[in-house]
Amino acid sequence: MTTKYTVFQLIGIRMLLFSSLAILCNASFSFWLSQTLNVSFFFLWLLSLTGLFLFAIGLLYVMKSGLVIRRMVIYFFGWIVGNSLLMIFADMYYIQVLMQLPIIVYAILVIVLIWLFCSEFKQLYLRKQEGIELC
């Protein structure tokens, strides 16, 4: 007997594993930055988790539709260009908005994003394999 896994299930499990590793790396990097810059660890950690889960949810959403590889590449470059433009053109305003939001806003946002990530992950994992042309 063999066990059959779809490509999307393997991608989903790999993404879940890498997300867990990224959370650990974000925590250690946030701890180091909080000691260096004298900023709250929880603030930096929640801010980094917000970005991580926003990217992951967007990527899972893109993977649910057809033509996965092309859309993933477009999403990846769009994420980089969008964040670069925010850093270049809205440098001080962007940083001020991020720094002035209270920790509770980030905590609530991370909880909502984790819930959205879990629901998108479940939909991707339980997706039926419809054909090779989707990849």
Side-chain angles (χ1 to χ4, degrees):
M1 298 209 22
T2 61
T3 305
K4 294 183 180 181
Y5 295 102
T6 66
V7 171
F8 294 105
Q9 289 173 333
L10 294 174
I11 290 171
I13 292 295
R14 191 178 80 176
M15 187 175 188
L16 190 61
L17 183 83
F18 287 151
S19 295
S20 301
L21 288 172
I23 288 170
L24 290 174
C25 289
N26 278 346
S28 61
F29 191 67
S30 297
F31 182 73
W32 176 74
L33 275 178
S34 70
Q35 299 299 317
T36 305
L37 301 175
N38 292 328
V39 180
S40 171
F41 163 73
F42 290 110
F43 174 76
L44 289 176
W45 190 53
L46 290 173
L47 181 64
S48 67
L49 285 179
T50 303
L52 176 72
F53 279 109
L54 277 174
F55 181 80
I57 290 168
L59 193 60
L60 285 172
Y61 182 75
V62 165
M63 288 171 51
K64 285 189 340 186
S65 59
L67 302 171
V68 175
I69 294 174
R70 185 179 71 179
R71 289 183 183 207
M72 284 175 58
V73 169
I74 291 170
Y75 178 73
F76 177 72
F77 285 115
W79 182 268
I80 291 174
V81 169
N83 281 313
S84 298
L85 289 175
L86 279 173
M87 288 300 294
I88 292 170
F89 293 118
D91 183 27
M92 289 308 295
Y93 299 116
Y94 182 57
I95 293 173
Q96 284 177 354
V97 167
L98 291 178
M99 295 297 285
Q100 289 179 354
L101 287 175
I103 291 178
I104 191 70
V105 171
Y106 285 115
I108 292 170
L109 188 58
V110 166
I111 291 169
V112 169
L113 290 174
I114 288 172
W115 178 78
L116 285 172
F117 176 80
C118 290
S119 67
E120 289 290 324
F121 179 78
K122 181 180 174 186
Q123 288 177 3
L124 178 75
Y125 192 78
L126 297 177
R127 177 183 178 168
K128 301 284 187 230
Q129 184 74 21
E130 297 164 350
I132 194 69
E133 65 273 356
L134 290 176
C135 292

